[in-house]
Amino acid sequence: EAGVTQFPSHSVIEKGQTVTLRCDPISGHDNLYWYRRVMGKEIKFLLHFVKESKQDESGMPNNRFLAERTGGTYSTLKVQPAELEDSGVYFCASSETGGSPLHFGNGTRLTVT
Amino acid sequence: TQLLEQSPQFLSIQEGENLTVYCNSSSVFSSLQWYRQEPGEGPVLLVTVVTGGEVKKLKRLTFQFGDARKDSSLHITAAQPGDTGLYLCAGARTGNNRKLIWGLGTSLAVNP
């Protein structure tokens, strides 16, 4: 089966621009998560979808970040406008149920200059 | 403040040596997971420990959850170059097992 796929793998944008990251979970996985790792820091939880509904978005840094999962399939994470501190690796993960193992994508490395 | 302290941060050893990686916290977790991550890839789950004092083995890897469920260790016996990678621990709090708390990771290099 295909794993979790993320696009793009790398993105370099200027401060103030907009970037949209995409995540395609494993087919049939209702649960989708976004995590972020800023250089030198630990991985941190951003939010959790169950199908198309946001189950927990307590980790979203601020209102410049918008996550969607229309139709309960793929998800997008938009950063607008991007700031320097948004640089990092954004990971998406999916799981079949709330208690089953997480499967991570390879991440999107975002660099804001 | 780091909620999950991993040590050591870096480790370089020779093939055949044994090693232990530690994951410590002052907080209690309902479960603790260990992941391995390779460059350019996402973390891959190795094991989940749930019960205080639990020991799980995965070939040459032995995972232990502390009795108080605040700490965990990963022991590798007779390390091989294929074990090279970043080892991450992540704890789940009671009632929210998806908002994982992560350690910084231990970067392991096993030299032939």
PDB file of all heavy atoms in Angstrom, chain A residues 8-15 17 19 21 39 82-90 108-113:
ATOM      1  N   PRO A   8       5.129  19.962  -1.340  1.00  0.00           N
ATOM      2  CA  PRO A   8       6.395  19.537  -1.940  1.00  0.00           C
ATOM      3  C   PRO A   8       7.331  18.966  -0.874  1.00  0.00           C
ATOM      4  O   PRO A   8       7.044  19.055   0.309  1.00  0.00           O
ATOM      5  CB  PRO A   8       6.944  20.841  -2.501  1.00  0.00           C
ATOM      6  CG  PRO A   8       6.422  21.892  -1.561  1.00  0.00           C
ATOM      7  CD  PRO A   8       5.059  21.412  -1.122  1.00  0.00           C
ATOM      8  N   SER A   9       8.437  18.429  -1.280  1.00  0.00           N
ATOM      9  CA  SER A   9       9.418  17.938  -0.312  1.00  0.00           C
ATOM     10  C   SER A   9      10.221  19.106   0.251  1.00  0.00           C
ATOM     11  O   SER A   9      10.668  19.055   1.400  1.00  0.00           O
ATOM     12  CB  SER A   9      10.348  16.912  -0.946  1.00  0.00           C
ATOM     13  OG  SER A   9      11.004  17.470  -2.071  1.00  0.00           O
ATOM     14  N   HIS A  10      10.421  20.125  -0.575  1.00  0.00           N
ATOM     15  CA  HIS A  10      11.131  21.322  -0.134  1.00  0.00           C
ATOM     16  C   HIS A  10      10.415  22.550  -0.684  1.00  0.00           C
ATOM     17  O   HIS A  10       9.866  22.505  -1.784  1.00  0.00           O
ATOM     18  CB  HIS A  10      12.573  21.342  -0.658  1.00  0.00           C
ATOM     19  CG  HIS A  10      13.444  20.288  -0.096  1.00  0.00           C
ATOM     20  ND1 HIS A  10      13.455  18.993  -0.579  1.00  0.00           N
ATOM     21  CD2 HIS A  10      14.348  20.317   0.914  1.00  0.00           C
ATOM     22  CE1 HIS A  10      14.324  18.278   0.107  1.00  0.00           C
ATOM     23  NE2 HIS A  10      14.874  19.048   1.019  1.00  0.00           N
ATOM     24  N   SER A  11      10.441  23.632   0.092  1.00  0.00           N
ATOM     25  CA  SER A  11       9.891  24.894  -0.373  1.00  0.00           C
ATOM     26  C   SER A  11      10.692  26.034   0.226  1.00  0.00           C
ATOM     27  O   SER A  11      10.915  26.066   1.442  1.00  0.00           O
ATOM     28  CB  SER A  11       8.421  25.015   0.022  1.00  0.00           C
ATOM     29  OG  SER A  11       7.879  26.233  -0.430  1.00  0.00           O
ATOM     30  N   VAL A  12      11.142  26.935  -0.646  1.00  0.00           N
ATOM     31  CA  VAL A  12      11.863  28.114  -0.187  1.00  0.00           C
ATOM     32  C   VAL A  12      11.053  29.330  -0.624  1.00  0.00           C
ATOM     33  O   VAL A  12      10.802  29.521  -1.815  1.00  0.00           O
ATOM     34  CB  VAL A  12      13.284  28.189  -0.788  1.00  0.00           C
ATOM     35  CG1 VAL A  12      13.999  29.440  -0.271  1.00  0.00           C
ATOM     36  CG2 VAL A  12      14.076  26.938  -0.441  1.00  0.00           C
ATOM     37  N   ILE A  13      10.620  30.127   0.336  1.00  0.00           N
ATOM     38  CA  ILE A  13       9.812  31.297   0.022  1.00  0.00           C
ATOM     39  C   ILE A  13      10.345  32.487   0.799  1.00  0.00           C
ATOM     40  O   ILE A  13      11.107  32.341   1.755  1.00  0.00           O
ATOM     41  CB  ILE A  13       8.320  31.085   0.356  1.00  0.00           C
ATOM     42  CG1 ILE A  13       8.141  30.824   1.857  1.00  0.00           C
ATOM     43  CG2 ILE A  13       7.738  29.957  -0.466  1.00  0.00           C
ATOM     44  CD1 ILE A  13       6.687  30.794   2.294  1.00  0.00           C
ATOM     45  N   GLU A  14       9.904  33.664   0.365  1.00  0.00           N
ATOM     46  CA  GLU A  14      10.309  34.882   1.066  1.00  0.00           C
ATOM     47  C   GLU A  14       9.278  35.233   2.135  1.00  0.00           C
ATOM     48  O   GLU A  14       8.096  34.902   2.024  1.00  0.00           O
ATOM     49  CB  GLU A  14      10.461  36.028   0.080  1.00  0.00           C
ATOM     50  CG  GLU A  14      11.630  35.838  -0.873  1.00  0.00           C
ATOM     51  CD  GLU A  14      11.802  37.032  -1.800  1.00  0.00           C
ATOM     52  OE1 GLU A  14      10.943  37.929  -1.777  1.00  0.00           O
ATOM     53  OE2 GLU A  14      12.805  37.071  -2.540  1.00  0.00           O
ATOM     54  N   LYS A  15       9.777  35.895   3.130  1.00  0.00           N
ATOM     55  CA  LYS A  15       8.902  36.379   4.193  1.00  0.00           C
ATOM     56  C   LYS A  15       7.749  37.173   3.585  1.00  0.00           C
ATOM     57  O   LYS A  15       7.956  37.990   2.685  1.00  0.00           O
ATOM     58  CB  LYS A  15       9.713  37.262   5.137  1.00  0.00           C
ATOM     59  CG  LYS A  15       8.917  37.926   6.225  1.00  0.00           C
ATOM     60  CD  LYS A  15       9.818  38.824   7.073  1.00  0.00           C
ATOM     61  CE  LYS A  15       8.972  39.648   8.033  1.00  0.00           C
ATOM     62  NZ  LYS A  15       9.796  40.522   8.886  1.00  0.00           N
ATOM     63  N   GLN A  17       5.276  35.846   1.881  1.00  0.00           N
ATOM     64  CA  GLN A  17       4.605  35.061   0.850  1.00  0.00           C
ATOM     65  C   GLN A  17       3.717  33.985   1.477  1.00  0.00           C
ATOM     66  O   GLN A  17       3.729  33.777   2.695  1.00  0.00           O
ATOM     67  CB  GLN A  17       5.636  34.422  -0.094  1.00  0.00           C
ATOM     68  CG  GLN A  17       6.350  35.427  -0.974  1.00  0.00           C
ATOM     69  CD  GLN A  17       7.265  34.742  -1.986  1.00  0.00           C
ATOM     70  OE1 GLN A  17       7.898  33.736  -1.691  1.00  0.00           O
ATOM     71  NE2 GLN A  17       7.343  35.308  -3.188  1.00  0.00           N
ATOM     72  N   VAL A  19       2.438  29.916   1.355  1.00  0.00           N
ATOM     73  CA  VAL A  19       2.820  28.559   0.940  1.00  0.00           C
ATOM     74  C   VAL A  19       1.730  27.587   1.372  1.00  0.00           C
ATOM     75  O   VAL A  19       1.117  27.753   2.438  1.00  0.00           O
ATOM     76  CB  VAL A  19       4.180  28.150   1.554  1.00  0.00           C
ATOM     77  CG1 VAL A  19       4.122  28.084   3.074  1.00  0.00           C
ATOM     78  CG2 VAL A  19       4.668  26.831   0.973  1.00  0.00           C
ATOM     79  N   LEU A  21       1.086  23.495   1.865  1.00  0.00           N
ATOM     80  CA  LEU A  21       1.644  22.149   1.941  1.00  0.00           C
ATOM     81  C   LEU A  21       0.493  21.150   1.810  1.00  0.00           C
ATOM     82  O   LEU A  21      -0.607  21.389   2.306  1.00  0.00           O
ATOM     83  CB  LEU A  21       2.357  21.939   3.284  1.00  0.00           C
ATOM     84  CG  LEU A  21       3.293  23.056   3.749  1.00  0.00           C
ATOM     85  CD1 LEU A  21       3.932  22.677   5.079  1.00  0.00           C
ATOM     86  CD2 LEU A  21       4.328  23.365   2.701  1.00  0.00           C
ATOM     87  N   MET A  39      14.253  23.766  13.622  1.00  0.00           N
ATOM     88  CA  MET A  39      15.649  23.378  13.846  1.00  0.00           C
ATOM     89  C   MET A  39      16.062  23.587  15.308  1.00  0.00           C
ATOM     90  O   MET A  39      15.836  24.650  15.877  1.00  0.00           O
ATOM     91  CB  MET A  39      16.571  24.179  12.932  1.00  0.00           C
ATOM     92  CG  MET A  39      18.011  23.702  12.966  1.00  0.00           C
ATOM     93  SD  MET A  39      19.082  24.635  11.878  1.00  0.00           S
ATOM     94  CE  MET A  39      18.359  24.232  10.311  1.00  0.00           C
ATOM     95  N   ALA A  82       3.909  34.061   5.480  1.00  0.00           N
ATOM     96  CA  ALA A  82       4.979  33.320   6.151  1.00  0.00           C
ATOM     97  C   ALA A  82       5.942  34.270   6.856  1.00  0.00           C
ATOM     98  O   ALA A  82       6.233  35.377   6.366  1.00  0.00           O
ATOM     99  CB  ALA A  82       5.732  32.468   5.141  1.00  0.00           C
ATOM    100  N   GLU A  83       6.432  33.846   8.004  1.00  0.00           N
ATOM    101  CA  GLU A  83       7.438  34.558   8.771  1.00  0.00           C
ATOM    102  C   GLU A  83       8.680  33.678   8.895  1.00  0.00           C
ATOM    103  O   GLU A  83       8.615  32.467   8.688  1.00  0.00           O
ATOM    104  CB  GLU A  83       6.900  34.912  10.166  1.00  0.00           C
ATOM    105  CG  GLU A  83       5.700  35.824  10.166  1.00  0.00           C
ATOM    106  CD  GLU A  83       6.042  37.250   9.740  1.00  0.00           C
ATOM    107  OE1 GLU A  83       7.253  37.603   9.738  1.00  0.00           O
ATOM    108  OE2 GLU A  83       5.117  38.012   9.400  1.00  0.00           O
ATOM    109  N   LEU A  84       9.787  34.307   9.251  1.00  0.00           N
ATOM    110  CA  LEU A  84      11.061  33.574   9.344  1.00  0.00           C
ATOM    111  C   LEU A  84      10.967  32.386  10.306  1.00  0.00           C
ATOM    112  O   LEU A  84      11.522  31.313  10.031  1.00  0.00           O
ATOM    113  CB  LEU A  84      12.184  34.508   9.793  1.00  0.00           C
ATOM    114  CG  LEU A  84      12.502  35.691   8.879  1.00  0.00           C
ATOM    115  CD1 LEU A  84      13.620  36.548   9.485  1.00  0.00           C
ATOM    116  CD2 LEU A  84      12.904  35.207   7.489  1.00  0.00           C
ATOM    117  N   GLU A  85      10.252  32.598  11.410  1.00  0.00           N
ATOM    118  CA  GLU A  85      10.181  31.547  12.434  1.00  0.00           C
ATOM    119  C   GLU A  85       9.324  30.353  12.017  1.00  0.00           C
ATOM    120  O   GLU A  85       9.242  29.360  12.751  1.00  0.00           O
ATOM    121  CB  GLU A  85       9.654  32.111  13.759  1.00  0.00           C
ATOM    122  CG  GLU A  85       8.233  32.609  13.712  1.00  0.00           C
ATOM    123  CD  GLU A  85       8.152  34.109  13.493  1.00  0.00           C
ATOM    124  OE1 GLU A  85       9.107  34.667  12.904  1.00  0.00           O
ATOM    125  OE2 GLU A  85       7.126  34.697  13.907  1.00  0.00           O
ATOM    126  N   ASP A  86       8.687  30.450  10.838  1.00  0.00           N
ATOM    127  CA  ASP A  86       7.888  29.323  10.344  1.00  0.00           C
ATOM    128  C   ASP A  86       8.764  28.259   9.678  1.00  0.00           C
ATOM    129  O   ASP A  86       8.275  27.174   9.346  1.00  0.00           O
ATOM    130  CB  ASP A  86       6.833  29.797   9.348  1.00  0.00           C
ATOM    131  CG  ASP A  86       5.876  30.807   9.949  1.00  0.00           C
ATOM    132  OD1 ASP A  86       5.672  30.760  11.182  1.00  0.00           O
ATOM    133  OD2 ASP A  86       5.347  31.641   9.197  1.00  0.00           O
ATOM    134  N   SER A  87      10.011  28.568   9.471  1.00  0.00           N
ATOM    135  CA  SER A  87      10.927  27.606   8.845  1.00  0.00           C
ATOM    136  C   SER A  87      11.025  26.346   9.686  1.00  0.00           C
ATOM    137  O   SER A  87      11.074  26.409  10.922  1.00  0.00           O
ATOM    138  CB  SER A  87      12.320  28.220   8.692  1.00  0.00           C
ATOM    139  OG  SER A  87      12.294  29.303   7.802  1.00  0.00           O
ATOM    140  N   GLY A  88      11.059  25.208   9.012  1.00  0.00           N
ATOM    141  CA  GLY A  88      11.163  23.943   9.715  1.00  0.00           C
ATOM    142  C   GLY A  88      10.691  22.815   8.816  1.00  0.00           C
ATOM    143  O   GLY A  88      10.432  23.021   7.628  1.00  0.00           O
ATOM    144  N   VAL A  89      10.599  21.641   9.382  1.00  0.00           N
ATOM    145  CA  VAL A  89      10.087  20.491   8.641  1.00  0.00           C
ATOM    146  C   VAL A  89       8.690  20.188   9.133  1.00  0.00           C
ATOM    147  O   VAL A  89       8.477  19.998  10.338  1.00  0.00           O
ATOM    148  CB  VAL A  89      10.992  19.254   8.800  1.00  0.00           C
ATOM    149  CG1 VAL A  89      10.442  18.096   7.976  1.00  0.00           C
ATOM    150  CG2 VAL A  89      12.418  19.573   8.378  1.00  0.00           C
ATOM    151  N   TYR A  90       7.742  20.151   8.215  1.00  0.00           N
ATOM    152  CA  TYR A  90       6.350  19.890   8.539  1.00  0.00           C
ATOM    153  C   TYR A  90       6.034  18.443   8.178  1.00  0.00           C
ATOM    154  O   TYR A  90       6.148  18.042   7.020  1.00  0.00           O
ATOM    155  CB  TYR A  90       5.433  20.849   7.780  1.00  0.00           C
ATOM    156  CG  TYR A  90       5.545  22.257   8.291  1.00  0.00           C
ATOM    157  CD1 TYR A  90       6.646  23.056   7.968  1.00  0.00           C
ATOM    158  CD2 TYR A  90       4.568  22.792   9.123  1.00  0.00           C
ATOM    159  CE1 TYR A  90       6.775  24.340   8.464  1.00  0.00           C
ATOM    160  CE2 TYR A  90       4.679  24.083   9.615  1.00  0.00           C
ATOM    161  CZ  TYR A  90       5.785  24.857   9.282  1.00  0.00           C
ATOM    162  OH  TYR A  90       5.900  26.126   9.786  1.00  0.00           O
ATOM    163  N   THR A 108       7.793  18.055   4.671  1.00  0.00           N
ATOM    164  CA  THR A 108       8.096  19.163   3.770  1.00  0.00           C
ATOM    165  C   THR A 108       9.034  20.096   4.517  1.00  0.00           C
ATOM    166  O   THR A 108       8.701  20.573   5.603  1.00  0.00           O
ATOM    167  CB  THR A 108       6.821  19.945   3.382  1.00  0.00           C
ATOM    168  OG1 THR A 108       5.980  19.116   2.587  1.00  0.00           O
ATOM    169  CG2 THR A 108       7.187  21.207   2.602  1.00  0.00           C
ATOM    170  N   ARG A 109      10.189  20.328   3.923  1.00  0.00           N
ATOM    171  CA  ARG A 109      11.152  21.255   4.534  1.00  0.00           C
ATOM    172  C   ARG A 109      10.850  22.648   4.019  1.00  0.00           C
ATOM    173  O   ARG A 109      11.016  22.926   2.831  1.00  0.00           O
ATOM    174  CB  ARG A 109      12.586  20.856   4.210  1.00  0.00           C
ATOM    175  CG  ARG A 109      13.628  21.791   4.827  1.00  0.00           C
ATOM    176  CD  ARG A 109      15.039  21.270   4.610  1.00  0.00           C
ATOM    177  NE  ARG A 109      15.267  20.019   5.316  1.00  0.00           N
ATOM    178  CZ  ARG A 109      15.593  19.927   6.599  1.00  0.00           C
ATOM    179  NH1 ARG A 109      15.727  21.020   7.318  1.00  0.00           N
ATOM    180  NH2 ARG A 109      15.784  18.743   7.141  1.00  0.00           N
ATOM    181  N   LEU A 110      10.393  23.517   4.909  1.00  0.00           N
ATOM    182  CA  LEU A 110      10.037  24.891   4.543  1.00  0.00           C
ATOM    183  C   LEU A 110      11.127  25.837   5.030  1.00  0.00           C
ATOM    184  O   LEU A 110      11.485  25.815   6.208  1.00  0.00           O
ATOM    185  CB  LEU A 110       8.693  25.281   5.170  1.00  0.00           C
ATOM    186  CG  LEU A 110       8.263  26.735   4.989  1.00  0.00           C
ATOM    187  CD1 LEU A 110       8.022  27.044   3.513  1.00  0.00           C
ATOM    188  CD2 LEU A 110       7.009  27.044   5.806  1.00  0.00           C
ATOM    189  N   THR A 111      11.610  26.651   4.111  1.00  0.00           N
ATOM    190  CA  THR A 111      12.594  27.677   4.450  1.00  0.00           C
ATOM    191  C   THR A 111      12.015  29.023   4.079  1.00  0.00           C
ATOM    192  O   THR A 111      11.657  29.256   2.917  1.00  0.00           O
ATOM    193  CB  THR A 111      13.920  27.450   3.707  1.00  0.00           C
ATOM    194  OG1 THR A 111      14.417  26.144   4.019  1.00  0.00           O
ATOM    195  CG2 THR A 111      14.949  28.499   4.110  1.00  0.00           C
ATOM    196  N   VAL A 112      11.912  29.900   5.063  1.00  0.00           N
ATOM    197  CA  VAL A 112      11.421  31.252   4.829  1.00  0.00           C
ATOM    198  C   VAL A 112      12.606  32.201   4.944  1.00  0.00           C
ATOM    199  O   VAL A 112      13.288  32.227   5.996  1.00  0.00           O
ATOM    200  CB  VAL A 112      10.320  31.628   5.835  1.00  0.00           C
ATOM    201  CG1 VAL A 112       9.777  33.019   5.531  1.00  0.00           C
ATOM    202  CG2 VAL A 112       9.190  30.611   5.806  1.00  0.00           C
ATOM    203  N   THR A 113      12.868  32.946   3.880  1.00  0.00           N
ATOM    204  CA  THR A 113      14.047  33.840   3.869  1.00  0.00           C
ATOM    205  C   THR A 113      13.633  35.317   3.934  1.00  0.00           C
ATOM    206  O   THR A 113      12.460  35.642   3.699  1.00  0.00           O
ATOM    207  CB  THR A 113      14.883  33.610   2.609  1.00  0.00           C
ATOM    208  OG1 THR A 113      14.081  33.953   1.468  1.00  0.00           O
ATOM    209  CG2 THR A 113      15.342  32.160   2.491  1.00  0.00           C
TER     210      THR A 113
END
